[in-house]
C-alpha cells in the first residue's frame, strides 16, 4: 500500500481542528481504500468516503462530483477539491468547486498549486 504524502496527517488534523468537513472522493477499489483507512486511522478525520467502485463512476465523470454532493450534503460551491490530476480538477471546477493542484509543478494550469498538504493552513 502506498504511504500517505508528507504532511497529509498534519493537514487533516488542522482541517478538523478548524471545523472543516473533510471528505474523500477516490477512484479506486473499496477494499484497497478500506485498508488505507484502517492503516492510517483516516476515519478519525474524514467524515465521508465516496469511492468509485461503490458509486459506479470515476473522476472526472461529472456524476462522481454529484455523488460527493449528495453523500456529504455539502454544496459543491462550498468545496475545495485537492487532486494531482488536472483533468479531475477541471471537472471539479466545472461542477462549481474551488480547486488546488497538489504536488505537481504545472505552470500551464488554472488551478492554484499546493506543493504539500501541510502548507495549506500555515
Amino acid at each position: 500500500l502506498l504511504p500517505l504524502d508528507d504532511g497529509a496527517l498534519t493537514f487533516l488534523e488542522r482541517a478538523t481542528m478548524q471545523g472543516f468537513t473533510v471528505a474523500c472522493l477516490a477512484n479506486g477499489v473499496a477494499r484497497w481504500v478500506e485498508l488505507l483507512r484502517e492503516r492510517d486511522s483516516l476515519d478519525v478525520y474524514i467524515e465521508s468516503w465516496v469511492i468509485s467502485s461503490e458509486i459506479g463512476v470515476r473522476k472526472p465523470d461529472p456524476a462522481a462530483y454529484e455523488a460527493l454532493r449528495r453523500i456529504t450534503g455539502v454544496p459543491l460551491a462550498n468545496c475545495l477539491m485537492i487532486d494531482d490530476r488536472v483533468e479531475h480538477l477541471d471537472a471539479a471546477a466545472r461542477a462549481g468547486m474551488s480547486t488546488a493542484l497538489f504536488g505537481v509543478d504545472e505552470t500551464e494550469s488554472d488551478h492554484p498549486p499546493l506543493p504539500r498538504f501541510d502548507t495549506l493552513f500555515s
Side-chain angles (χ1 to χ4, degrees):
L1 295 175
L2 298 173
L4 284 179
D5 290 304
D6 287 341
L9 286 178
T10 300
F11 162 76
L12 291 170
E13 289 169 358
R14 289 178 181 170
T16 302
M17 286 188 323
Q18 293 190 25
F20 289 100
T21 299
V22 179
C24 179
L25 173 59
N27 286 346
V29 176
R31 179 64 185 138
W32 178 77
V33 174
E34 182 181 325
L35 291 170
L36 292 173
R37 289 167 67 175
E38 291 171 3
R39 183 194 68 191
D40 297 316
S41 302
L42 296 176
D43 288 339
V44 170
Y45 308 106
I46 299 175
E47 295 181 29
S48 298
W49 293 86
V50 183
I51 312 303
S52 62
S53 67
E54 295 179 332
I55 62 172
V57 293
R58 296 172 57 84
K59 297 178 289 184
D61 188 312
Y65 305 94
E66 175 56 24
L68 176 69
R69 184 206 57 77
R70 194 174 57 254
I71 290 167
T72 64
V74 176
L76 295 178
N78 294 346
C79 294
L80 169 64
M81 172 64 73
I82 301 170
D83 204 301
D84 63 350
R85 313 249 342 241
V86 171
E87 61 270 19
H88 295 172
L89 295 175
D90 288 345
R94 285 191 296 275
M97 301 171 83
S98 297
T99 59
L101 182 61
F102 176 73
V104 178
D105 185 18
E106 182 70 42
T107 58
E108 295 185 25
S109 170
D110 293 332
H111 309 286
L114 180 63
R116 294 174 44 103
F117 277 117
D118 58 356
T119 61
L120 191 59
F121 291 111
S122 48

